Amino acid sequence: MPKIVDLNCDLGEGFGHWTMGAPDEELMEVISSANVATGFHAGDPTLMNRVVKLCQQHSVGLGAHPGYRDLVGFGRRYIRASSEELVNDILYQIGALREFGRRYGIALQHVKPHGALYMEAAANEDLSRHLVETLQRTAPELALFCMDISHTYEVAQRLGQPVVREFYADRDYDDSGSIVFQRRVAPPDPAKLAEKCLRACLDNTVETVTGKQIRVEFESICFHSDTPGAVEIGRAIKTTLQENGITIAPAALVLKQD
């Protein structure tokens, strides 16, 4: 059967009159799963309501995108806090988005921590364990998005929580398989990123910043709404994959296929 993969993007990353990244309405036409900002790093109730409604209209998988309590730093600064406190913050944000989903009859599909919190969970086994154990008590059906080389993935696998591994279209990889962050980047070539994703889908490899080919395992491809040219990037990825017999579907359907 043809390979099936999810295509996800972070949406609703504004606040009040402030907006960031490509228009949510345009991105919604490209993706199969949305990670919706839940108020701590970006997002507000009215914006969350609008994006959830768009997910329902476009049959896009709804995901919570909880971050550190850091509007000024956009959730990309580390905050020293206990695992208990951080999981409480995550649970609070998940609950907020889940209610908007209920308003429009759309179930929450997944949770994906944002930015520095995502990377902290990847490296912090205690935080990952607290998060997974909490999800198993409150939302055992909820898929947890993470990298394959992370404590998050290992703990979720071990404890039996649904888990979706991500491949990053618009981020470089180092030789360890971790992503390389750059604060300011030139607009990437959508065609090159699409070819990168196609190669990853076909042979599960990616070229690192040193030119080495490493293996990657994933069920979802991520690109970011604040990457310059995000809509064009998403369209190029979707078109290239579909033209090569790869089906794009929400993460819940990808997990069922596996």
Side-chain angles (χ1 to χ4, degrees):
M1 296 182 66
K3 187 175 180 71
I4 180 171
V5 69
D6 177 45
L7 182 60
N8 81 79
C9 189
D10 306 339
L11 300 186
E13 292 190 317
F15 195 87
H17 295 293
W18 171 74
T19 59
M20 183 173 184
D24 295 326
E25 292 83 357
E26 294 183 33
L27 291 168
M28 197 67 70
E29 298 176 358
V30 176
I31 61 175
S32 53
S33 291
N35 318 307
V36 183
T38 46
F40 276 23
H41 77 280
D44 60 44
T46 298
L47 183 53
M48 290 163 65
N49 180 76
R50 182 172 65 81
V51 178
V52 170
K53 188 175 181 180
L54 286 171
C55 286
Q56 190 273 333
Q57 293 171 343
H58 291 267
S59 299
V60 166
L62 176 63
H65 198 37
Y68 280 127
R69 197 187 298 263
D70 181 27
L71 282 175
V72 172
F74 195 62
R76 288 178 174 164
R77 301 181 297 184
Y78 285 92
I79 294 177
R80 291 181 61 87
S82 68
S83 295
E84 175 83 12
E85 182 178 351
L86 293 176
V87 170
N88 288 342
D89 282 355
I90 291 171
L91 188 62
Y92 178 92
Q93 294 174 81
I94 290 173
L97 190 69
R98 184 156 46 191
E99 288 306 302
F100 283 107
R102 288 173 175 163
R103 185 179 198 177
Y104 294 104
I106 178 172
L108 199 59
Q109 172 190 254
H110 69 275
V111 58
K112 174 184 172 179
H114 165 80
L117 184 56
Y118 180 97
M119 300 305 295
E120 174 64 19
N124 186 331
E125 184 175 3
D126 183 68
L127 174 57
S128 290
R129 181 175 53 80
H130 272 73
L131 174 56
V132 171
E133 289 176 347
T134 298
L135 290 178
Q136 291 189 316
R137 289 192 294 270
T138 61
E141 76 291 345
L142 208 60
L144 179 58
F145 277 37
C146 61
M147 295 184 295
D148 63 336
I149 58 159
S150 65
H151 284 300
T152 314
Y153 177 65
E154 185 275 324
V155 171
Q157 280 283 90
R158 173 160 45 88
L159 298 183
Q161 186 72 20
V163 63
V164 172
R165 296 168 292 182
E166 293 188 284
F167 177 75
Y168 280 88
D170 53 356
R171 296 286 188 267
D172 290 327
Y173 282 78
D174 64 23
D175 290 350
S176 75
S178 184
I179 52 179
V180 178
F181 285 103
Q182 293 178 292
R183 290 297 182 192
R184 293 179 176 84
V185 296
D189 182 347
K192 288 184 178 179
L193 295 189
E195 286 299 316
K196 170 186 172 182
C197 294
L198 177 61
R199 184 170 63 251
C201 287
L202 295 178
D203 60 21
N204 292 103
T205 63
V206 65
E207 183 176 329
T208 71
V209 290
T210 67
K212 181 180 178 180
Q213 296 289 331
I214 62 171
R215 187 165 181 82
V216 287
E217 301 285 350
F218 61 96
E219 291 78 33
S220 185
I221 295 171
C222 173
F223 68 101
H224 294 81
S225 62
D226 63 335
T227 296
V231 174
E232 290 73 23
I233 290 168
R235 288 173 179 161
I237 294 170
K238 183 176 184 178
T239 299
T240 298
L241 296 188
Q242 290 179 332
E243 288 178 347
N244 285 271
I246 297 169
T247 301
I248 295 174
L253 294 181
V254 176
L255 290 178
K256 287 182 179 179
Q257 180 75 12
D258 291 343

